[in-house]
Amino acid sequence: MASKNHQAVDLDTFIEGLEKRNEGQTEFIQAVREVAEDIFTFVKDRPDYQEAQILRRIAEPDRIVSFRVCWEDDDHNIRVERGWRVQNNNAIGPYKGGLRFHESVNESILKFLAFEQTFKNSLTGLPLGGGKGGSNFNPKGKSDAEIMRFCQSFMTELYRHIGPDTDVPAGDIGVGSREIGYLFGQYKRITGRWEGVLTGKGTAYGGSIMRPEATGYGAVYFLRDMLREADEDIEGKSAVISGAGNVALHAAEKLCELGGKVLTLSDSDGFVHDPDGIDADKIAWVKELKNERRGRISEYIEEYSGATYHEGEAPWRVDCDIAMPCATQNELDESDAKALADNDVMAVCEGANMPTTMEGVKVFQDAEILYAPGKAANAGGVAVSGLEMSQNSERVSWNREKLDDMLTDLMEDIHGKCVERGRSGDSGHVNYVKGANIAGFEKVADAMLAFGVV
Ligand SMILES: NC(=O)C1=CN([C@@H]2O[C@H](COP(=O)(O)OP(=O)(O)OC[C@H]3O[C@@H](n4cnc5c(N)ncnc54)[C@H](OP(=O)(O)O)[C@@H]3O)[C@@H](O)[C@H]2O)C=CC1
Ligand SMILES: O=C(O)CCC(=O)C(=O)O
């Protein structure tokens, strides 16, 4: 009788097939490859996972919906963009993951994000599957009315593919509370239903009071847990942060609160370095600059004269104890990682999704630098989204204190899973990438085994 294992392939053959099937989709291939390296070792002793082709199936989205988004700008020009929703895997719960509006958005980027989301959401321990969506629409410089018309048009197609038990989108780059408001309003108008179909909503209409802070705060809680595991803490440590959006500013806020000193923030044009520290008042000023006036980070040096602005550069060469990439994918490459290692960085904790290239990750791992991948460290955002879904279906509202306690516990739990699965026998060093990959995979894999071949 032929072995049931006849379809098992080695890692190289798996990657070859992946590259062939997803030609040119570099971000997606990178994300799957990073997981596959750990999972292939892990499933060596699990023929049931191998025979069921679990990883091969998770690496093929359940479906991708792509659609035209047509809208009218303030000068009455008709504009056409492309929208997508990638529903990667719903083995353990409804598809869940953000929407990104950025001119760089394409299928590869959304597929990598939806794939990573599947593992991240599993790590939270909540019943959430993985998805992601968005558009190549560029929100920069658009009026509020233009943003509203775009969001309404986007939702006019998306609404038929989502639902509180089907797929629950949220924000990501370029999608904050303003956009979620317009999207939710349009969903409600079309369907006539008030239901928890989006998270990141305003508190006036069912949003969680902690969702805006959750990703950045959660990442710093993970950092604190990781440092504690190594008998260190945040107090007195200097930190470089990239980005000046939702994740970066809330990470900066929590770092300051826990006694850290934030030295940098950035946007896609450059970074600011403030040797005096970017404290809570300065962060509040940047929040107003970014969220209300929609300005550029370069304006910081006009307000705070001790700071310098570095056009076209990233902050990774500034001497620091802690680095937190909180902007976008592949923003920290091998040479950046070497610069951080040469400066004896103690910990790298990712607020963004896949911000470090594979070569950069290798530098951190070879140097045994404490390194937390985004899929574990930034899971606090989607975890609080999961809590927002519970609040909506139970028709309850939890206060900030309760939610912050729950977020703290959730991050501690994710950290614990990474340590359990990622600690190496000899040195005791924790490989958080391996830990997150294996712990995230296992729950989804067990659910998929239970379903048979579907
Ligand atoms: N919001 C959330 O809850 C979660 C977000 N994440 C991830 O965190 C990261 C940041 O998201 P978020 O803070 O929400 O997004 P925002 O839109 O609020 O902010 C994004 C920030 O990153 C900068 N940025 C974007 N693209 C680039 C680029 N190509 N090069 C350099 N800088 C860039 C932006 O600068 P500029 O204004 O110039 O474009 C901006 O400062 C993303 O990777 C996202 O996927 C992960 C988990 C949850
Ligand atoms: O809260 C959510 O559902 C979205 C979070 C997200 O997009 C992410 O974790 O990258």
Side-chain angles (χ1 to χ4, degrees):
M1 197 172 102
S3 155
K4 276 185 83 188
N5 214 0
H6 66 283
Q7 284 185 309
V9 295
D10 62 17
L11 178 62
D12 289 344
T13 314
F14 176 85
I15 299 292
E16 229 172 79
L18 174 80
E19 288 175 342
K20 212 185 265 173
R21 287 189 299 279
N22 302 283
E23 210 182 323
Q25 299 196 338
T26 52
E27 295 86 358
F28 178 62
I29 291 165
Q30 178 185 344
V32 178
R33 180 193 280 265
E34 185 193 273
V35 168
E37 288 182 358
D38 290 323
I39 299 305
F40 265 73
T41 310
F42 173 63
V43 300
K44 277 202 176 111
D45 301 329
R46 291 296 306 256
D48 49 346
Y49 289 159
Q50 288 183 41
E51 281 157 15
Q53 300 274 313
I54 299 291
L55 185 61
R56 169 79 175 82
R57 286 156 66 189
I58 301 176
E60 195 67 47
D62 287 356
R63 70 192 59 78
I64 301 174
V65 184
S66 149
F67 48 93
R68 184 187 66 236
V69 187
C70 197
W71 61 286
E72 193 177 337
D73 69 20
D74 287 345
D75 297 325
H76 305 292
N77 299 305
I78 302 303
R79 310 280 286 261
V80 183
E81 326 286 350
R82 191 168 291 176
W84 289 267
R85 186 70 182 166
V86 178
Q87 297 179 329
N88 192 74
N89 186 292
N90 67 350
I92 62 169
Y95 304 106
K96 181 85 194 88
L99 296 171
R100 177 176 293 191
F101 293 169
H102 193 270
E103 70 269 29
S104 64
V105 164
N106 58 35
E107 217 168 278
S108 168
I109 288 175
L110 295 178
K111 277 172 68 181
F112 114 65
L113 289 163
F115 176 79
E116 286 234 319
Q117 196 81 45
T118 303
F119 291 77
K120 181 192 311 191
N121 293 3
S122 164
L123 278 172
T124 67
L126 301 173
L128 303 169
K132 201 87 183 192
S135 172
N136 57 355
F137 170 67
N138 176 7
K140 286 201 186 95
K142 304 290 189 298
S143 69
D144 278 357
E146 289 177 320
I147 298 285
M148 181 183 74
R149 287 195 292 274
F150 176 81
C151 288
Q152 290 176 341
S153 180
F154 185 85
M155 185 52 86
T156 299
E157 175 59 32
L158 185 69
Y159 89 96
R160 70 191 81 240
H161 308 291
I162 62 177
D165 296 312
T166 314
D167 184 352
V168 183
D172 189 73
I173 291 177
V175 179
S177 56
R178 172 182 59 171
E179 291 74 17
I180 293 291
Y182 294 143
L183 291 163
F184 189 74
Q186 184 70 355
Y187 180 88
K188 197 168 64 58
R189 173 158 74 172
I190 296 170
T191 62
R193 289 194 300 273
W194 194 112
E195 53 193 9
V197 71
L198 292 170
T199 60
K201 301 185 291 298
T203 46
Y205 57 99
S208 160
I209 196 162
M210 274 292 287
R211 180 62 188 87
E213 292 88 348
T215 309
Y217 282 18
V220 175
Y221 293 157
F222 194 96
L223 170 71
R224 181 176 60 183
D225 293 336
M226 185 164 72
L227 289 174
R228 193 184 287 141
E229 186 71 25
D231 293 323
E232 288 285 353
D233 69 22
I234 289 174
E235 178 77 40
K237 303 288 188 305
S238 60
V240 297
I241 297 183
S242 65
N246 172 279
V247 180
L249 295 177
H250 290 111
E253 201 168 271
K254 186 52 77 178
L255 266 172
C256 289
E257 204 185 302
L258 297 181
K261 184 177 183 183
V262 176
L263 297 175
T264 68
L265 289 170
S266 72
D267 59 25
S268 52
D269 293 332
F271 79 93
V272 286
H273 177 199
D274 187 341
D276 298 331
I278 305 175
D279 60 18
D281 287 344
K282 294 173 180 175
I283 293 165
W285 183 88
V286 179
K287 272 191 186 171
E288 200 268 333
L289 169 78
K290 285 290 177 185
N291 298 337
E292 310 299 327
R293 290 189 280 132
R294 314 255 168 212
R296 307 304 300 160
I297 199 67
S298 55
E299 293 169 50
Y300 183 96
I301 59 167
E302 291 158 28
E303 189 71 15
Y304 301 106
S305 55
T308 50
Y309 176 62
H310 306 261
E311 176 86 24
E313 288 179 46
W316 313 125
R317 279 155 186 79
V318 173
D319 199 4
C320 63
D321 302 310
I322 292 161
M324 292 194 69
C326 294
T328 195
Q329 67 274 354
N330 291 331
E331 55 166 315
L332 198 164
D333 66 14
E334 185 178 19
S335 71
D336 299 325
K338 282 184 178 154
L340 284 164
D342 288 347
N343 278 336
D344 291 327
V345 73
M346 179 183 290
V348 179
C349 182
E350 295 183 343
N353 285 310
M354 206 172 74
T356 309
T357 63
M358 282 194 88
E359 297 77 15
V361 174
K362 187 152 188 333
V363 172
F364 295 143
Q365 288 179 331
D366 288 349
E368 295 207 345
I369 289 165
L370 295 173
Y371 166 67
K375 65 169 80 79
N378 73 31
V382 74
V384 171
S385 276
L387 301 179
E388 184 173 326
M389 288 163 69
S390 301
Q391 290 184 72
N392 291 164
S393 48
E394 287 179 50
R395 305 283 193 260
V396 294
S397 172
W398 296 327
N399 65 27
R400 185 176 287 278
E401 240 179 14
K402 180 175 169 78
L403 286 161
D404 197 33
D405 285 348
M406 288 166 105
L407 174 62
T408 306
D409 289 349
L410 277 156
M411 296 315 296
E412 212 176 297
D413 186 54
I414 295 170
H415 178 265
K417 287 177 188 159
C418 293
V419 171
E420 191 188 327
R421 289 299 190 176
R423 194 183 297 284
S424 104
D426 315 331
S427 68
H429 177 74
V430 179
N431 179 338
Y432 284 88
V433 177
K434 179 177 153 203
N437 286 340
I438 294 174
F441 174 81
E442 232 177 345
K443 186 174 170 196
V444 178
D446 287 342
M448 289 173 72
L449 278 186
F451 303 148
V453 182
V454 288

